[in-house]
Amino acid sequence: MALVTVTDSARDYLAQLIEKQDVEGMGVRIFVTQPGTRNAETCLAYCPPNEVVPTDEQVDLEKFTLYLDHNSVPFLEEAYVDYSKDQMGGQLTIKAPNAKVPQVADDAPLPDRVNYVLASEINPNLAAHGGDVSLVEIVEESVAVLRFGGGCQGCSAVSLTLKQGVEKTLKERVPEISAVRDVTDHSNTENAYYQ
């Protein structure tokens, strides 16, 4: 079963919302749209009894049942749902670090482990500047060949990003990687974050 943490405050908040629906046996379904892609989104939806899918995993949260969409389960590993009150009322937060790429085992092939770190840790940070990085290949001596895109292509800070951000993180998370190499054509600065 996927490990999904729902904090007490989130349970209470969701239970209040469910109660307002006035439907006996109403639950909540958690699922990932476009799982395993950079466009993956983790969602919560009401789940009345007539919409329960037999293949869903069920988690009894005492006040209601949480249904985990069967196809989303590998992408929901380590998902976290929280609710915090604020001046505007409150905020429900869903974090699913494996939604874009399912977690891979320590003994998975090297390209899979590199892609996992790129998707789960590096690209979310680069996305703040409209950028991304992808693995082209792994060559001799475990050098990861990467291609930057979006706001990173042609960006004047890309060499700093490559060495102090991407390479450092990849080498920490995937110790077999000895270095990284950028094969991006940075002469095109049309979408660069820093020019």
Side-chain angles (χ1 to χ4, degrees):
M1 166 157 342
L3 176 65
V4 177
T5 301
V6 182
T7 64
D8 289 341
S9 59
R11 289 179 195 195
D12 293 343
Y13 176 71
L14 291 169
Q16 290 173 7
L17 293 177
I18 289 168
E19 191 175 310
K20 292 177 184 176
Q21 299 305 303
D22 199 27
V23 174
E24 185 70 31
M26 177 76 80
V28 173
R29 172 176 282 111
I30 186 168
F31 57 97
V32 180
T33 61
Q34 300 183 44
T37 71
R38 70 173 61 177
N39 298 319
E41 299 229 3
T42 307
C43 307
L44 291 174
Y46 293 118
C47 185
N50 64 333
E51 293 182 13
V52 172
V53 178
T55 57
D56 284 351
E57 291 188 20
Q58 298 182 22
V59 180
D60 181 6
L61 296 179
E62 294 180 22
K63 297 180 179 185
F64 62 91
T65 300
L66 179 68
Y67 297 95
L68 283 62
D69 172 68
H70 176 74
N71 294 330
S72 300
V73 166
F75 302 93
L76 291 171
E77 193 72 34
E78 299 180 8
Y80 181 81
V81 182
D82 188 28
Y83 177 78
S84 56
K85 291 188 177 194
D86 61 25
Q87 297 171 341
M88 305 301 284
Q91 170 123 11
L92 186 66
T93 304
I94 309 167
K95 294 182 181 178
N98 300 302
K100 295 181 187 311
V101 177
Q103 191 168 20
V104 296
D106 291 340
D107 61 351
L110 191 55
D112 291 353
R113 289 183 285 141
V114 169
N115 280 321
Y116 175 75
V117 173
L118 291 176
S120 65
E121 295 184 45
I122 294 171
N123 279 330
N125 293 324
L126 296 178
H129 294 171
D132 64 81
V133 64
S134 59
L135 176 66
V136 176
E137 64 180 333
I138 296 180
V139 295
E140 289 180 25
E141 299 179 13
S142 297
V143 174
V145 179
L146 307 174
R147 177 170 285 116
F148 285 88
C152 291
Q153 183 176 2
C155 178
S156 62
V158 76
S159 61
L160 184 66
T161 300
L162 178 68
K163 290 294 179 193
Q164 292 186 3
V166 177
E167 183 174 50
K168 181 179 178 213
T169 302
L170 275 177
K171 288 169 79 174
E172 283 174 3
R173 302 289 188 270
V174 187
E176 296 93 326
I177 293 297
S178 62
V180 297
R181 186 174 347 144
D182 179 12
V183 296
T184 311
D185 174 9
H186 289 289
S187 64
N188 180 356
T189 60
E190 186 176 318
N191 294 318
Y193 189 76
Y194 292 114
Q195 292 189 16

